[in-house]
Amino acid sequence: MMQELDQAVTIGATVPTGFEHTAAEEVQEKLEATARVSKNRGRIYFDITTDKLLKVHQLKSLDNLFVVVKEYDDYQFKTTKEEVQMDWEELAAKLPWTNALAVWKLNNSIKKKKGCRKRTNPTKSDQCDLEALEVKRNQRDVSSQPENDSEEEKHSEIQNQESGVTPLKFRVTCNRAGDKHCFTSNDAARDFGGAVQEFFQWKADMTKFDVEVLLNIHNNEVVVGIALTVESLHRRNITHFGPTTLRSTLAYGMLRLCKPQVSDVIVDPMCGTGAIPLEGVMEWQNSFFLAGDNNGTAVSRSVNNIKHILKRTHDGGSSSGLPLDIVQWDLCNLPMRSSSVDIIITDMPFGKRMGSKKKNWELYPLCLREMARVCKPGTGKAVLLTQDKKCFLKALSQMEGLWRKLHTVWVNVGGLHAGVFVLKRTAVVFGPTSVDVMEPHTATGSQK
Amino acid sequence: MKLLTHNMLTSHVKGVIKGYPLIIKATEVKVNELEFNGQFVSRMIPKLEWSALIQAAGWLGQSQDLPSTLIPDYENDEEFLRKVHRILLEVEVIEGCLQCPESGREFPISKGVPNMLLNEDE
């Protein structure tokens, strides 16, 4: 195979909105590239050479990747649909496609090397992202036989396409935001798609496409790209889903906010299927993760997710462990020594899809107190995700100075506006308060 | 359940004052390899209840001649740190139970997961 010179290329990535800066940090740290945060939330851009493409796929903050064909800072849109359509035709013909398509081709071979893996699909996607970049199609099951019929067929089809024998199949996905456009995203996708088809003589196919052309329009900012990911990267650790499993990229972003140190004890007291501790233990192997939940099903799903990771990282080798434990417990009455935890990180019940708003009024103060008890005064931190911001902030204000707000990241989780609250445990020692003197009760009311 | 976790767990049965450390009754124990990091171990030691750790190691027959009180300058004793690493992270209780030293209440451990939930009346 001919060795090609490493090409310079601009990569765009979608990230959970609110975590653009932690994603940029990861890019800087691992690729030594400076990332720009787009005005269009949830997107970052960075320049690399193609030898780093595999590493880009291994980054943990990024949901979807694309290669930028061209960016326009100040695209002047005409005022009638007909004129806009003509502009798309003109644009398609003069865009610098060659380099981007070379990267797309290289990316295909990288993806093959990574291997396709069987993936169960979520029964309930919490990805109601308005990002049309997300491809909501099922990943085809690839059998363990290296050469079953359809795989060989697809392989030779790509070869034919790449050598120019069969036309490539493509689709255009358009994201549009702004109130001065005389067209909709569907108009743009259709018209630009028509122009692309005319130019390349490719076949349009909405579902079985080889090339996904991305047209991102944010006011006068236009970015044309080619998608490099088929499935979103954000479900990587979870094979056993629960009803509200958190995106791995979001879990990773939250963990970065904690800045885990060597020997930190990091607890997720309502871990669900374990998205956060699993993401944590894969990246920060010098901290110790303790995950707990009161629900037996959640606990066994977490255990299964861990087993799956252990199999992946140590196939054929001796059984190896991870610095992680799971306990079944009631987070309002944690069976833990006081002041033993460095970081508490969790996804708190939203009240809409899990639990209820009424329950949150009781649950939040109780669990914030219990978290304050086990967390180290002065040095401890908490990173808490919740959609019930009002309830959370009210509960926090009742905490007699046990927690101090450091900052808040506003995020979008499954279409709901949520907040990630980063708290510092103050030096105030936990002790009996007027709240304690009252008759103790637990969250569910039925348990005593 | 690793002994590092055990070191942090206590009994929270109502009315119990001395619920720590929980007594370990293991019926199945596994030893899994985990990469050694000296810095992790030496920074973790001050956070531990050392005597509880030694006691727990003893219950599992893994004492390895570890001292009952910490020696000074342990941070530079790699052999010592490796022994501590082993009992903190590599020895795991898969089946058995944890018993509250005061009330006698037993919390089962199954598939490496202790169930610390209390009943309604506890």
Side-chain angles (χ1 to χ4, degrees):
Chain A
M1 192 169 96
M2 225 173 39
Q3 274 291 65
E4 290 172 25
L5 283 172
D6 291 333
Q7 209 184 313
V9 67
T10 304
I11 301 288
T14 54
V15 304
T17 37
F19 284 94
E20 295 86 353
H21 293 280
T22 46
E25 256 176 45
E26 194 196 9
V27 168
Q28 180 67 53
E29 195 180 284
K30 297 183 181 171
L31 300 179
E32 291 167 328
T34 314
R36 302 170 264 137
V37 175
S38 167
K39 275 179 255 157
N40 189 357
R41 279 163 42 94
R43 255 172 250 274
I44 63 169
Y45 295 94
F46 50 93
D47 299 322
I48 53 159
T49 46
T50 46
D51 56 312
K52 297 229 174 120
L53 202 50
L54 177 61
K55 271 199 181 168
V56 175
H57 278 280
Q58 292 165 342
L59 293 179
K60 301 187 177 189
S61 313
L62 315 180
D63 280 329
N64 280 304
L65 301 172
F66 54 95
V67 51
V68 173
V69 176
K70 194 148 171 81
E71 290 175 75
Y72 295 93
D73 275 337
D74 196 19
Y75 192 93
Q76 295 301 317
F77 285 104
K78 304 263 166 53
T79 49
T80 66
K81 283 196 182 184
E82 295 72 27
E83 287 174 293
V84 171
Q85 182 180 11
M86 278 174 56
D87 278 351
W88 290 137
E89 278 168 20
E90 206 182 293
L91 188 69
K94 71 177 189 198
L95 283 171
W97 295 102
T98 321
N99 283 350
L101 283 170
V103 175
W104 167 81
K105 196 164 140 183
L106 173 65
N107 187 67
N108 283 341
S109 61
I110 288 179
K111 284 200 294 192
K112 278 203 199 103
K113 272 191 220 138
K114 269 180 75 189
C116 295
R117 58 183 197 282
K118 249 176 171 203
R119 196 174 72 94
T120 53
N121 285 299
T123 49
K124 182 176 180 178
S125 171
D126 65 2
Q127 261 294 71
C128 305
D129 252 332
L130 303 169
E131 309 286 356
L133 267 180
E134 186 128 61
V135 180
K136 288 187 174 69
R137 70 170 182 168
N138 296 331
Q139 175 75 343
R140 228 179 36 212
D141 273 354
V142 178
S143 78
S144 52
Q145 302 281 21
E147 216 100 67
N148 65 34
D149 282 345
S150 64
E151 187 59 21
E152 200 171 75
E153 197 181 274
K154 175 89 181 181
H155 182 71
S156 58
E157 210 179 274
I158 295 251
Q159 291 221 298
N160 283 339
Q161 287 152 0
E162 291 175 0
S163 65
V165 173
T166 347
L168 284 174
K169 295 199 252 183
F170 83 104
R171 68 171 269 167
V172 172
T173 306
C174 177
N175 251 331
R176 189 202 65 78
D179 42 6
K180 295 208 176 79
H181 304 135
C182 67
F183 57 89
T184 65
S185 60
N186 281 338
D187 290 333
R190 186 196 56 231
D191 292 343
F192 189 61
V196 167
Q197 180 164 41
E198 184 65 36
F199 182 68
F200 283 109
Q201 295 298 299
W202 288 341
K203 281 184 67 181
D205 193 323
M206 292 301 279
T207 51
K208 290 192 177 60
F209 48 87
D210 307 303
V211 180
E212 185 180 16
V213 176
L214 306 167
L215 183 59
N216 293 324
I217 304 171
H218 184 74
N219 293 316
N220 285 353
E221 225 179 64
V222 174
V223 179
V224 181
I226 296 180
L228 298 177
T229 48
V230 169
E231 61 172 2
S232 190
L233 303 169
H234 63 75
R235 292 273 182 208
R236 57 180 164 265
N237 288 333
I238 304 292
T239 46
H240 295 80
F241 290 92
T244 56
T245 296
L246 192 68
R247 279 196 279 181
S248 300
T249 44
L250 190 44
Y252 180 78
M254 286 173 66
L255 282 157
R256 278 198 81 98
L257 288 178
C258 301
K259 300 200 201 306
Q261 303 297 307
V262 175
S263 87
D264 270 350
V265 173
I266 303 178
V267 174
D268 181 348
M270 24 189 161
C271 65
T273 52
I276 295 175
L278 283 172
E279 199 60 37
V281 90
M282 295 301 285
E283 179 88 350
W284 289 276
Q285 276 142 8
N286 297 314
S287 303
F288 185 78
F289 289 86
L290 188 50
D293 204 284
N294 64 352
N295 182 298
T297 316
V299 166
S300 50
R301 280 189 177 135
S302 293
V303 171
N304 286 331
N305 285 328
I306 291 183
K307 282 215 183 95
H308 188 83
I309 291 202
L310 286 174
K311 259 203 226 128
R312 250 165 56 185
T313 51
H314 300 280
D315 254 322
S318 66
S319 174
S320 178
L322 290 169
L324 167 72
D325 254 335
I326 303 181
V327 179
Q328 190 166 358
W329 64 30
D330 171 9
L331 99 131
C332 296
N333 193 3
L334 286 170
M336 288 190 78
R337 276 195 283 125
S338 299
S339 312
S340 53
V341 177
D342 294 295
I343 296 173
I344 297 188
I345 174 170
T346 196
D347 172 3
M348 300 181 79
F350 281 179
K352 279 198 174 156
R353 283 175 300 146
M354 195 71 152
S356 70
K357 285 252 158 124
K358 182 161 175 280
K359 272 195 186 162
N360 287 354
W361 286 108
E362 294 175 351
L363 181 66
Y364 279 25
L366 280 170
C367 78
L368 277 170
R369 275 190 70 74
E370 193 64 349
M371 290 190 212
R373 180 183 71 77
V374 302
C375 200
K376 291 212 171 87
T379 55
K381 283 183 287 213
V383 175
L384 309 172
L385 169 65
T386 179
Q387 190 259 337
D388 201 344
K389 306 164 290 270
K390 204 160 109 184
C391 183
F392 179 83
L393 290 168
K394 173 115 194 281
L396 197 61
S397 66
Q398 292 168 344
M399 287 290 109
E400 271 120 37
L402 292 168
W403 292 108
R404 182 164 62 90
K405 262 202 305 173
L406 285 182
H407 63 275
T408 308
V409 180
W410 301 106
V411 301
N412 185 303
V413 183
L416 303 171
H417 286 118
V420 174
F421 295 91
V422 183
L423 308 175
K424 182 88 177 177
R425 175 69 175 87
T426 65
V428 172
V429 172
F430 187 91
T433 64
S434 55
V435 178
D436 284 348
V437 168
M438 276 165 34
E439 164 101 82
H441 66 281
T442 61
T444 59
S446 55
Q447 223 181 341
K448 265 288 178 182
Chain B
M1 180 199 68
K2 300 173 174 67
L3 292 188
L4 174 49
T5 300
H6 169 263
N7 201 262
M8 297 186 278
L9 293 177
T10 73
S11 164
H12 53 306
V13 174
K14 220 160 58 156
V16 161
I17 302 179
K18 247 239 115 210
Y20 181 87
L22 290 156
I23 303 166
I24 307 178
K25 297 181 169 172
T27 53
E28 187 188 329
V29 175
K30 254 171 83 179
V31 179
N32 286 319
E33 244 181 65
L34 215 132
E35 208 178 301
F36 170 73
N37 178 331
Q39 204 186 33
F40 175 94
V41 183
S42 59
R43 287 197 192 175
M44 189 58 88
I45 288 175
K47 304 183 188 187
L48 303 168
E49 287 289 325
W50 183 256
S51 51
L53 180 66
I54 298 301
Q55 222 180 348
W59 286 325
L60 297 182
Q62 298 277 344
S63 292
Q64 299 175 93
D65 307 317
L66 281 167
S68 51
T69 46
L70 281 167
I71 50 168
D73 199 39
Y74 58 77
E75 303 91 354
N76 299 315
D77 186 344
E78 190 179 304
E79 198 189 311
F80 171 76
L81 292 177
R82 278 185 183 271
K83 284 190 187 166
V84 179
H85 165 83
R86 187 188 148 87
I87 57 166
L88 277 182
L89 296 173
E90 294 188 327
V91 176
E92 296 192 59
V93 179
I94 306 296
E95 301 287 328
C97 72
L98 295 171
Q99 186 177 43
C100 171
E102 194 177 303
S103 68
R105 198 332 184 153
E106 287 187 352
F107 300 95
I109 302 176
S110 169
K111 298 197 178 103
V113 177
N115 184 342
M116 307 296 295
L117 290 177
L118 293 169
N119 297 325
E120 281 195 23
D121 51 346
E122 282 174 299

